[in-house]
Amino acid sequence: MLISFAQATSRASIDELAVPVSEETLQQVASKVHGRDWVLFANKLGFTQNDLTGISKKVGKNVYQQVLEMLHTWQRREGDAATCRVLDTALRDGDFIDVANDIFF
């Protein structure tokens, strides 16, 4: 089966996403989504509204800090499974395709 250059490049890029998420990446994501409706994105990472309410109570009203805390919680909870691939998929499924493209491609 022959694949195009675009397909090969896309697959290589996807394979590169199988790495653990860095603190820098988490901060980039938080800075790009905090001004928008990020609840669907959080839901795609497995967070419920009750989880998000708890995070809000913990860190206060600063939405950037809420998003960053949610991402840190996700990273701690998932451990080695908290990869760039999972984060990329959650961003795309949570209507943040532009953020995923900016950060991962």
Side-chain angles (χ1 to χ4, degrees):
M1 176 176 155
L2 295 175
I3 61 174
S4 70
F5 175 74
Q7 289 171 317
T9 303
S10 177
R11 286 187 183 166
S13 296
I14 290 170
D15 289 342
E16 291 171 7
L17 295 179
V19 297
V21 176
S22 69
E23 178 62 24
E24 179 182 355
T25 299
L26 294 180
Q27 291 174 5
Q28 286 176 340
V29 170
S31 72
K32 290 181 182 288
V33 304
H34 82 276
R36 297 163 55 184
D37 184 6
W38 55 278
V39 174
L40 178 60
F41 165 56
N43 293 154
K44 297 298 180 180
L45 290 175
F47 289 87
T48 65
Q49 187 58 50
N50 284 340
D51 296 330
L52 299 179
T53 299
I55 288 170
S56 177
K57 287 179 182 177
K58 179 179 178 180
V59 301
K61 294 184 179 188
N62 182 315
V63 180
Y64 170 81
Q65 290 298 323
Q66 290 175 12
V67 176
L68 190 58
E69 179 61 26
M70 181 269 299
L71 291 168
H72 285 149
T73 301
W74 166 75
Q75 187 179 42
R76 283 190 304 272
R77 183 180 64 207
E78 297 299 317
D80 291 340
T83 64
C84 290
R85 179 182 296 145
V86 174
L87 192 56
D88 176 68
T89 299
L91 284 165
R92 292 176 188 286
D93 292 348
D95 294 330
F96 285 98
I97 295 168
D98 58 322
V99 175
N101 288 340
D102 284 350
I103 293 174
F104 297 113
F105 291 99

XYZ file of all heavy atoms in Angstrom:
827
model
N 0.844 -1.176 0.000
C 0.000 0.000 0.000
C 0.893 1.244 0.000
O 1.760 1.388 0.854
C -0.892 -0.024 1.235
C -1.737 1.198 1.386
S -2.821 0.966 2.816
C -3.090 2.628 3.227
N 0.674 2.135 -0.911
C 1.430 3.379 -0.995
C 0.703 4.466 -0.220
O -0.512 4.546 -0.238
C 1.586 3.815 -2.447
C 2.412 2.897 -3.344
C 2.370 3.393 -4.771
C 3.845 2.846 -2.847
N 1.482 5.295 0.453
C 0.895 6.435 1.140
C 1.556 7.696 0.631
O 2.696 7.684 0.179
C 1.047 6.333 2.668
C 2.524 6.287 3.079
C 0.309 5.136 3.213
C 2.743 6.343 4.580
N 0.819 8.771 0.682
C 1.339 10.041 0.189
C 2.309 10.635 1.205
O 2.361 10.230 2.369
C 0.185 11.020 -0.042
O -0.356 11.424 1.203
N 3.066 11.636 0.753
C 3.974 12.337 1.645
C 3.196 12.973 2.794
O 3.614 12.914 3.949
C 4.759 13.413 0.877
C 5.631 14.248 1.775
C 6.799 13.728 2.296
C 5.264 15.534 2.125
C 7.606 14.486 3.137
C 6.063 16.298 2.963
C 7.234 15.773 3.462
N 2.040 13.560 2.485
C 1.230 14.201 3.523
C 0.797 13.183 4.573
O 0.835 13.454 5.773
C 0.012 14.889 2.915
N 0.397 12.000 4.136
C 0.001 10.963 5.082
C 1.193 10.520 5.918
O 1.077 10.324 7.122
C -0.591 9.760 4.356
C -1.963 10.024 3.748
C -2.394 8.874 2.860
O -1.609 8.338 2.087
N -3.654 8.512 2.977
N 2.331 10.353 5.295
C 3.530 9.921 6.023
C 3.939 10.979 7.039
O 4.287 10.668 8.178
C 4.671 9.650 5.056
N 3.883 12.242 6.642
C 4.234 13.334 7.543
C 3.251 13.400 8.690
O 3.633 13.561 9.845
C 4.251 14.677 6.782
O 5.159 14.563 5.697
C 4.667 15.813 7.679
N 1.975 13.254 8.388
C 0.951 13.284 9.415
C 1.153 12.153 10.409
O 1.070 12.346 11.608
C -0.432 13.199 8.768
O -1.422 13.164 9.765
N 1.444 10.969 9.908
C 1.665 9.826 10.796
C 2.898 10.040 11.655
O 2.888 9.725 12.829
C 1.795 8.537 9.994
C 0.477 8.073 9.455
C 0.600 6.724 8.811
N -0.681 6.368 8.253
C -0.868 5.388 7.408
N 0.153 4.659 7.003
N -2.067 5.117 6.950
N 3.940 10.576 11.088
C 5.150 10.839 11.875
C 4.833 11.845 12.969
O 5.267 11.691 14.106
C 6.270 11.354 10.980
N 4.055 12.871 12.638
C 3.704 13.880 13.619
C 2.866 13.271 14.739
O 3.066 13.577 15.907
C 2.931 15.030 12.966
O 3.752 15.679 12.033
N 1.940 12.407 14.373
C 1.101 11.759 15.376
C 1.960 10.874 16.270
O 1.803 10.855 17.484
C -0.045 10.974 14.711
C -1.041 11.964 14.104
C -0.735 10.054 15.692
C -2.085 11.351 13.229
N 2.920 10.132 15.692
C 3.799 9.297 16.498
C 4.627 10.140 17.458
O 4.902 9.711 18.570
C 4.727 8.470 15.604
C 3.981 7.365 14.878
O 2.858 7.026 15.299
O 4.520 6.846 13.891
N 5.004 11.329 17.046
C 5.788 12.206 17.907
C 4.972 12.680 19.111
O 5.534 13.120 20.104
C 6.282 13.415 17.126
C 7.341 13.065 16.092
C 7.675 14.216 15.171
O 7.192 15.345 15.393
O 8.421 13.980 14.211
N 3.659 12.573 19.037
C 2.803 13.023 20.125
C 2.677 11.987 21.239
O 2.002 12.219 22.234
C 1.414 13.381 19.598
C 1.351 14.561 18.639
C -0.075 14.793 18.175
C 1.917 15.809 19.277
N 3.321 10.844 21.092
C 3.230 9.777 22.089
C 4.167 10.020 23.266
O 4.502 9.095 23.987
C 3.519 8.433 21.438
N 4.567 11.247 23.471
C 5.500 11.594 24.551
C 4.730 12.243 25.700
O 3.665 12.824 25.501
C 6.613 12.545 24.056
C 7.456 11.878 22.984
C 6.033 13.849 23.557
N 5.283 12.164 26.917
C 4.633 12.824 28.051
C 4.515 14.330 27.827
O 5.352 14.939 27.163
C 5.571 12.528 29.226
C 6.350 11.332 28.803
C 6.484 11.428 27.312
N 3.496 14.907 28.391
C 3.258 16.342 28.270
C 4.224 17.087 29.193
O 4.392 16.721 30.354
C 1.804 16.677 28.653
C 1.567 18.166 28.618
C 0.834 15.971 27.743
N 4.838 18.129 28.672
C 5.758 18.940 29.476
C 4.994 20.054 30.194
O 3.881 20.423 29.805
C 6.836 19.565 28.589
O 6.249 20.551 27.750
N 5.626 20.606 31.213
C 5.040 21.751 31.912
C 4.851 22.926 30.953
O 3.837 23.628 31.000
C 5.920 22.163 33.095
C 5.420 23.381 33.846
C 4.055 23.186 34.494
O 3.660 22.030 34.779
O 3.366 24.199 34.715
N 5.807 23.117 30.073
C 5.705 24.209 29.088
C 4.463 24.035 28.213
O 3.746 25.001 27.946
C 6.960 24.249 28.225
C 6.928 25.328 27.166
C 8.159 25.345 26.271
O 9.107 24.575 26.512
O 8.150 26.136 25.318
N 4.194 22.813 27.783
C 3.017 22.550 26.954
C 1.741 22.818 27.737
O 0.805 23.431 27.214
C 3.037 21.106 26.416
O 4.197 20.933 25.600
C 1.795 20.798 25.601
N 1.697 22.389 28.987
C 0.505 22.640 29.806
C 0.264 24.142 29.954
O -0.869 24.610 29.847
C 0.663 21.995 31.183
C 0.719 20.470 31.220
C 0.887 19.980 32.654
C -0.499 19.837 30.572
N 1.321 24.905 30.162
C 1.182 26.355 30.292
C 0.724 26.987 28.982
O -0.096 27.908 28.987
C 2.499 26.966 30.770
C 2.832 26.617 32.193
C 4.193 27.106 32.633
O 4.895 27.810 31.909
N 4.588 26.734 33.837
N 1.236 26.487 27.851
C 0.806 26.998 26.548
C -0.681 26.738 26.336
O -1.417 27.627 25.889
C 1.590 26.339 25.418
C 3.008 26.804 25.288
C 3.750 26.028 24.195
O 3.357 24.936 23.804
N 4.824 26.608 23.711
N -1.112 25.524 26.649
C -2.527 25.186 26.478
C -3.374 26.080 27.374
O -4.357 26.680 26.914
C -2.781 23.690 26.782
C -4.281 23.400 26.849
C -2.125 22.806 25.725
N -3.010 26.206 28.627
C -3.784 27.035 29.556
C -3.873 28.484 29.074
O -4.938 29.099 29.144
C -3.187 26.972 30.960
N -2.779 29.001 28.552
C -2.793 30.396 28.099
C -3.652 30.588 26.859
O -4.201 31.665 26.656
C -1.370 30.898 27.846
O -0.825 30.310 26.688
N -3.809 29.551 26.062
C -4.583 29.680 24.821
C -6.066 29.366 25.000
O -6.875 29.807 24.198
C -3.991 28.781 23.737
C -2.638 29.271 23.244
C -2.078 28.376 22.164
C -0.721 28.828 21.702
N -0.744 30.046 20.910
N -6.439 28.627 26.040
C -7.852 28.262 26.190
C -8.548 29.000 27.329
O -9.774 29.007 27.384
C -8.059 26.738 26.370
C -7.447 25.963 25.231
C -7.562 26.231 27.694
N -7.817 29.654 28.217
C -8.447 30.209 29.413
C -9.452 31.323 29.141
O -10.340 31.546 29.938
C -7.396 30.671 30.435
C -6.827 32.021 30.174
N -5.780 32.233 29.306
C -7.168 33.231 30.668
C -5.492 33.515 29.284
N -6.315 34.139 30.094
N -9.350 31.997 28.029
C -10.290 33.067 27.717
C -11.520 32.591 26.977
O -12.380 33.394 26.625
N -11.626 31.310 26.782
C -12.736 30.732 26.013
C -13.463 29.689 26.862
O -13.054 29.381 27.974
C -12.176 30.096 24.741
C -11.509 31.144 23.838
C -10.592 30.597 22.798
N -11.170 29.604 21.921
C -10.471 28.963 20.989
N -9.188 29.222 20.831
N -11.038 28.063 20.233
N -14.547 29.150 26.319
C -15.325 28.131 27.033
C -14.578 26.804 26.969
O -14.606 26.107 25.963
C -16.711 28.008 26.405
C -17.609 27.041 27.159
O -17.197 26.542 28.231
O -18.715 26.775 26.677
N -13.918 26.455 28.045
C -13.030 25.303 28.074
C -13.634 24.081 28.765
O -12.978 23.054 28.917
C -11.707 25.679 28.735
C -11.854 26.276 30.098
C -12.141 27.578 30.397
C -11.737 25.600 31.346
N -12.199 27.744 31.752
C -11.961 26.543 32.361
C -11.464 24.291 31.712
C -11.926 26.225 33.708
C -11.422 23.974 33.065
C -11.658 24.933 34.043
N -14.917 24.150 29.146
C -15.540 23.050 29.889
C -15.606 21.779 29.044
O -15.311 20.684 29.542
C -16.931 23.461 30.414
C -17.643 22.277 31.059
C -16.792 24.610 31.409
N -15.968 21.883 27.775
C -16.029 20.691 26.917
C -14.654 20.045 26.816
O -14.521 18.812 26.884
C -16.563 21.040 25.525
C -16.632 19.888 24.526
C -17.541 18.766 25.040
C -17.114 20.389 23.170
N -13.614 20.849 26.669
C -12.239 20.349 26.642
C -11.937 19.588 27.932
O -11.405 18.476 27.914
C -11.280 21.522 26.431
C -9.839 21.240 26.720
C -9.169 20.202 26.090
C -9.138 22.020 27.624
C -7.815 19.947 26.359
C -7.800 21.785 27.897
C -7.148 20.741 27.261
N -12.283 20.174 29.078
C -12.068 19.505 30.369
C -12.853 18.194 30.432
O -12.332 17.182 30.925
C -12.470 20.433 31.514
N -14.085 18.205 29.928
C -14.888 16.976 29.905
C -14.206 15.892 29.092
O -14.232 14.714 29.471
C -16.275 17.241 29.325
C -17.150 18.130 30.175
O -18.050 18.789 29.657
N -16.918 18.192 31.469
N -13.560 16.272 27.985
C -12.870 15.300 27.130
C -11.670 14.685 27.842
O -11.240 13.589 27.492
C -12.424 15.937 25.812
C -13.564 16.440 24.948
C -14.470 15.320 24.521
C -15.613 15.833 23.667
N -16.505 14.758 23.243
N -11.157 15.380 28.864
C -10.067 14.833 29.667
C -10.597 14.071 30.887
O -9.823 13.622 31.722
C -9.114 15.949 30.124
C -8.267 16.568 29.023
C -7.462 17.744 29.565
C -7.332 15.534 28.392
N -11.923 13.945 30.986
C -12.536 13.144 32.040
C -13.021 13.912 33.259
O -13.361 13.306 34.274
N -13.081 15.227 33.171
C -13.513 16.034 34.305
C -15.013 16.277 34.262
O -15.573 16.558 33.211
C -12.773 17.383 34.324
C -11.335 17.256 34.684
C -10.379 17.005 33.713
C -10.927 17.360 36.002
C -9.051 16.863 34.041
C -9.592 17.225 36.344
C -8.648 16.973 35.365
N -15.636 16.190 35.434
C -17.055 16.492 35.570
C -17.218 17.937 36.022
O -16.234 18.593 36.419
C -17.699 15.576 36.625
O -17.118 15.885 37.912
C -17.497 14.098 36.294
N -18.450 18.415 36.016
C -18.707 19.771 36.509
C -18.337 19.880 37.985
O -17.804 20.899 38.422
C -20.171 20.154 36.291
C -20.462 21.606 36.622
C -19.614 22.578 35.809
O -19.521 22.478 34.597
N -18.982 23.537 36.488
N -18.583 18.819 38.747
C -18.191 18.834 40.169
C -16.683 18.958 40.329
O -16.201 19.661 41.222
C -18.690 17.573 40.884
C -20.172 17.621 41.165
O -20.780 18.684 41.187
N -20.766 16.460 41.380
N -15.919 18.260 39.481
C -14.457 18.385 39.508
C -14.042 19.827 39.264
O -13.171 20.365 39.963
C -13.799 17.509 38.438
C -14.010 16.019 38.636
O -14.135 15.572 39.793
O -14.044 15.306 37.606
N -14.653 20.451 38.262
C -14.287 21.814 37.893
C -14.686 22.808 38.977
O -13.957 23.779 39.235
C -14.902 22.184 36.547
C -14.462 21.302 35.372
C -15.148 21.734 34.090
C -12.957 21.281 35.211
N -15.804 22.555 39.642
C -16.206 23.402 40.757
C -15.190 23.306 41.889
O -14.811 24.319 42.487
C -17.610 23.007 41.257
O -18.543 23.188 40.181
C -18.040 23.855 42.444
N -14.712 22.096 42.159
C -13.687 21.901 43.186
C -12.399 22.617 42.845
O -11.760 23.223 43.723
N -12.007 22.573 41.577
C -10.797 23.269 41.134
C -10.976 24.777 41.298
O -10.078 25.471 41.780
C -10.453 22.887 39.680
C -9.930 21.449 39.639
C -9.449 23.863 39.072
C -9.782 20.878 38.241
N -12.155 25.268 40.942
C -12.435 26.699 41.073
C -12.349 27.140 42.533
O -11.780 28.196 42.847
C -13.821 27.004 40.507
O -14.146 28.356 40.682
N -12.885 26.332 43.428
C -12.810 26.659 44.857
C -11.370 26.627 45.357
O -10.977 27.415 46.210
C -13.667 25.688 45.665
C -15.145 25.917 45.503
C -15.956 24.917 46.299
C -17.443 25.146 46.088
N -18.252 24.135 46.797
N -10.578 25.715 44.808
C -9.191 25.558 45.246
C -8.312 26.735 44.823
O -7.505 27.222 45.601
C -8.617 24.255 44.684
C -7.179 23.994 45.043
C -6.694 22.674 44.471
C -5.229 22.452 44.813
N -4.744 21.172 44.274
N -8.456 27.174 43.557
C -7.533 28.191 43.031
C -8.141 29.580 42.895
O -7.420 30.526 42.593
C -6.916 27.760 41.668
C -6.162 26.469 41.806
C -7.954 27.676 40.574
N -9.431 29.710 43.076
C -10.066 31.018 42.963
C -10.603 31.302 41.572
O -10.743 30.404 40.746
N -10.852 32.572 41.305
C -11.541 32.982 40.081
C -10.638 33.169 38.868
O -11.129 33.398 37.774
C -12.320 34.273 40.333
C -13.447 34.083 41.313
C -14.264 35.337 41.465
C -15.405 35.080 42.441
N -16.332 36.197 42.490
N -9.344 33.076 39.026
C -8.419 33.243 37.911
C -8.563 32.042 36.970
O -8.161 30.927 37.304
C -6.989 33.356 38.434
C -5.974 33.591 37.332
O -5.998 32.945 36.292
N -5.063 34.505 37.576
N -9.147 32.284 35.806
C -9.474 31.186 34.889
C -8.215 30.513 34.351
O -8.190 29.289 34.184
C -10.392 31.666 33.742
C -10.738 30.522 32.799
C -11.671 32.264 34.310
N -7.168 31.275 34.095
C -5.907 30.660 33.668
C -5.437 29.644 34.710
O -5.060 28.528 34.377
C -4.826 31.723 33.436
C -3.445 31.129 33.222
C -3.072 30.622 31.981
C -2.520 31.046 34.275
C -1.815 30.055 31.787
C -1.270 30.488 34.086
C -0.924 29.994 32.842
O 0.314 29.421 32.649
N -5.475 30.032 35.977
C -5.059 29.132 37.052
C -5.988 27.920 37.157
O -5.544 26.814 37.465
C -4.991 29.874 38.386
C -3.857 30.862 38.474
C -2.491 30.192 38.353
O -2.260 29.096 38.834
N -1.574 30.875 37.675
N -7.273 28.123 36.902
C -8.216 27.003 36.911
C -7.863 25.987 35.830
O -7.822 24.779 36.088
C -9.649 27.494 36.692
C -10.222 28.274 37.844
C -11.585 28.842 37.527
O -12.222 28.496 36.530
N -12.060 29.743 38.380
N -7.616 26.485 34.615
C -7.265 25.590 33.510
C -5.944 24.886 33.801
O -5.829 23.668 33.607
C -7.202 26.348 32.166
C -6.735 25.425 31.045
C -8.549 26.950 31.812
N -4.964 25.627 34.277
C -3.669 25.028 34.563
C -3.788 23.968 35.665
O -3.203 22.884 35.564
C -2.652 26.105 34.946
C -1.199 25.645 35.050
C -0.705 25.042 33.726
C -0.311 26.810 35.459
N -4.558 24.248 36.697
C -4.762 23.271 37.772
C -5.481 22.027 37.237
O -5.153 20.898 37.602
C -5.550 23.884 38.929
C -5.829 22.919 40.064
C -4.578 22.364 40.743
O -3.522 23.025 40.727
O -4.658 21.246 41.304
N -6.465 22.222 36.367
C -7.156 21.093 35.754
C -6.167 20.232 34.980
O -6.164 19.005 35.083
C -8.279 21.609 34.833
C -9.091 20.522 34.139
S -8.466 19.997 32.503
C -8.547 21.487 31.536
N -5.277 20.877 34.218
C -4.281 20.140 33.440
C -3.282 19.422 34.343
O -2.901 18.281 34.071
C -3.557 21.087 32.473
C -4.424 21.606 31.327
C -3.717 22.753 30.602
C -4.778 20.495 30.360
N -2.866 20.069 35.420
C -1.955 19.411 36.373
C -2.633 18.205 37.029
O -1.998 17.154 37.212
C -1.491 20.387 37.443
C -0.465 21.352 36.963
N -0.363 22.628 37.472
C 0.511 21.250 36.028
C 0.632 23.261 36.871
N 1.173 22.447 35.986
N -3.907 18.364 37.374
C -4.661 17.259 37.966
C -4.756 16.107 36.987
O -4.559 14.938 37.359
C -6.063 17.738 38.394
O -5.915 18.798 39.344
C -6.875 16.602 39.001
N -5.049 16.424 35.738
C -5.116 15.397 34.695
C -3.772 14.682 34.569
O -3.714 13.454 34.527
C -5.523 16.029 33.361
C -5.322 15.159 32.178
C -6.085 14.078 31.808
C -4.288 15.250 31.197
N -5.587 13.510 30.669
C -4.481 14.217 30.265
C -3.213 16.112 31.007
C -3.643 14.029 29.169
C -2.389 15.920 29.914
C -2.604 14.892 29.016
N -2.691 15.437 34.549
C -1.350 14.859 34.409
C -1.017 13.949 35.596
O -0.496 12.848 35.411
C -0.319 15.976 34.287
C 1.081 15.495 33.964
C 2.053 16.654 33.831
O 2.014 17.602 34.620
N 2.906 16.587 32.828
N -1.340 14.389 36.799
C -1.081 13.554 37.991
C -1.938 12.286 37.954
O -1.463 11.201 38.259
C -1.386 14.334 39.277
C -0.333 15.332 39.673
C -0.573 15.899 41.061
N -1.880 16.515 41.223
C -2.152 17.787 40.952
N -1.210 18.584 40.496
N -3.360 18.273 41.160
N -3.185 12.446 37.595
C -4.123 11.319 37.574
C -3.733 10.281 36.525
O -3.808 9.084 36.768
C -5.538 11.853 37.312
C -6.619 10.796 37.340
C -7.990 11.376 37.084
N -8.031 11.916 35.742
C -8.822 12.902 35.352
N -9.636 13.467 36.215
N -8.817 13.319 34.113
N -3.311 10.736 35.358
C -3.024 9.832 34.245
C -1.592 9.297 34.250
O -1.315 8.282 33.614
C -3.309 10.524 32.917
C -4.765 10.914 32.728
C -5.702 9.724 32.743
O -5.379 8.693 32.117
O -6.762 9.810 33.406
N -0.691 9.995 34.914
C 0.694 9.537 34.958
C 1.310 9.459 33.564
O 1.212 10.406 32.779
N 1.913 8.325 33.242
C 2.573 8.147 31.943
C 1.605 8.193 30.766
O 2.014 8.393 29.626
C 3.339 6.821 31.908
C 4.552 6.836 32.821
O 5.024 7.926 33.184
O 5.025 5.738 33.177
N 0.324 8.011 31.029
C -0.676 8.059 29.962
C -1.051 9.496 29.583
O -1.783 9.706 28.620
C -1.928 7.281 30.373
N -0.550 10.476 30.321
C -0.807 11.885 30.010
C 0.167 12.328 28.920
O 1.187 12.948 29.180
C -0.655 12.741 31.262
N -0.175 11.986 27.696
C 0.705 12.274 26.565
C 0.188 13.448 25.737
O -0.980 13.840 25.844
C 0.822 11.046 25.636
O -0.469 10.771 25.070
C 1.352 9.827 26.382
N 1.064 13.944 24.900
C 0.678 15.009 23.967
C -0.429 14.528 23.031
O -1.312 15.301 22.673
C 1.896 15.473 23.177
S 3.100 16.380 24.172
N -0.402 13.269 22.671
C -1.446 12.716 21.792
C -2.817 12.830 22.440
O -3.784 13.254 21.804
C -1.159 11.266 21.437
C -2.253 10.663 20.545
C -2.013 9.212 20.220
N -0.800 9.081 19.446
C 0.037 8.057 19.552
N -0.201 7.081 20.390
N 1.109 8.009 18.797
N -2.918 12.452 23.712
C -4.201 12.521 24.418
C -4.650 13.975 24.534
O -5.825 14.292 24.309
C -4.097 11.854 25.806
C -5.372 12.054 26.606
C -3.770 10.372 25.665
N -3.730 14.852 24.860
C -4.061 16.271 24.988
C -4.489 16.853 23.644
O -5.477 17.590 23.562
C -2.859 17.029 25.555
C -3.101 18.453 26.018
C -4.207 18.527 27.062
C -1.809 19.032 26.580
N -3.791 16.502 22.581
C -4.146 16.952 21.236
C -5.560 16.493 20.879
O -6.370 17.285 20.380
C -3.126 16.411 20.229
C -3.475 16.754 18.801
O -3.420 17.947 18.437
O -3.817 15.823 18.033
N -5.867 15.238 21.143
C -7.198 14.702 20.828
C -8.278 15.418 21.629
O -9.328 15.780 21.084
C -7.241 13.187 21.103
O -6.281 12.548 20.260
C -8.615 12.607 20.827
N -8.028 15.645 22.915
C -9.005 16.338 23.757
C -9.230 17.768 23.283
O -10.369 18.259 23.273
C -8.559 16.320 25.217
N -8.163 18.444 22.882
C -8.315 19.800 22.345
C -9.164 19.790 21.080
O -10.081 20.599 20.934
C -6.942 20.412 22.047
C -6.142 20.892 23.250
C -4.687 21.129 22.868
C -6.761 22.153 23.843
N -8.883 18.888 20.180
C -9.637 18.804 18.925
C -11.099 18.444 19.172
O -12.002 19.065 18.607
C -8.979 17.813 17.977
C -7.636 18.300 17.476
C -6.895 17.281 16.603
N -5.559 17.779 16.346
C -5.282 18.781 15.492
N -6.241 19.356 14.816
N -4.039 19.187 15.330
N -11.326 17.467 20.041
C -12.694 17.051 20.349
C -13.441 18.095 21.170
O -14.671 18.101 21.192
C -12.694 15.713 21.097
C -12.236 14.554 20.226
O -12.135 14.709 18.990
O -11.963 13.477 20.799
N -12.700 18.958 21.849
C -13.300 20.010 22.661
C -13.417 21.338 21.944
O -13.567 22.382 22.587
N -13.349 21.319 20.623
C -13.504 22.515 19.781
C -12.367 23.526 19.917
O -12.574 24.732 19.789
C -14.852 23.200 20.026
C -16.025 22.344 19.572
O -15.843 21.562 18.613
O -17.109 22.446 20.173
N -11.160 23.026 20.173
C -9.969 23.870 20.206
C -8.968 23.400 19.151
O -7.768 23.259 19.429
C -9.328 23.837 21.602
C -10.083 24.635 22.626
C -10.969 24.010 23.489
C -9.916 25.999 22.723
C -11.668 24.739 24.441
C -10.605 26.745 23.668
C -11.491 26.105 24.528
N -9.466 23.186 17.951
C -8.612 22.708 16.851
C -7.488 23.699 16.585
O -6.344 23.301 16.361
C -9.459 22.453 15.594
C -10.437 21.301 15.851
C -8.576 22.156 14.381
C -11.507 21.143 14.794
N -7.794 24.983 16.648
C -6.773 26.001 16.400
C -5.645 25.922 17.438
O -4.470 26.055 17.090
C -7.389 27.401 16.386
C -8.112 27.759 17.690
O -8.778 26.869 18.281
O -8.035 28.925 18.122
N -5.988 25.663 18.682
C -4.975 25.532 19.729
C -4.121 24.295 19.490
O -2.891 24.346 19.589
C -5.633 25.498 21.123
C -4.596 25.237 22.216
C -6.381 26.800 21.394
N -4.784 23.188 19.169
C -4.053 21.945 18.885
C -3.091 22.156 17.726
O -1.926 21.732 17.777
C -5.026 20.798 18.582
N -3.546 22.827 16.675
C -2.682 23.084 15.520
C -1.519 23.992 15.893
O -0.382 23.772 15.465
C -3.470 23.701 14.374
C -4.390 22.708 13.702
O -4.207 21.497 13.809
N -5.391 23.214 13.004
N -1.777 25.021 16.702
C -0.702 25.936 17.126
C 0.363 25.236 17.946
O 1.555 25.494 17.793
C -1.274 27.074 17.966
C -1.991 28.133 17.159
O -1.891 28.108 15.917
O -2.654 28.983 17.771
N -0.047 24.346 18.808
C 0.876 23.744 19.766
C 1.546 22.481 19.218
O 2.745 22.280 19.392
C 0.172 23.444 21.101
C -0.204 24.766 21.759
C 1.057 22.607 22.028
C -1.035 24.635 23.007
N 0.789 21.644 18.531
C 1.287 20.334 18.181
C 1.683 20.145 16.715
O 2.345 19.175 16.382
C 0.280 19.238 18.570
C 0.059 19.179 20.059
C -1.161 19.518 20.605
C 1.084 18.819 20.904
C -1.360 19.462 21.975
C 0.904 18.766 22.274
C -0.328 19.090 22.811
N 1.281 21.044 15.838
C 1.628 20.853 14.428
C 2.177 22.105 13.808
O 2.063 23.158 14.206
C 0.415 20.362 13.629
C 0.047 18.965 13.999
C -0.970 18.704 14.869
C 0.759 17.899 13.471
C -1.303 17.396 15.219
C 0.431 16.582 13.806
C -0.605 16.345 14.690
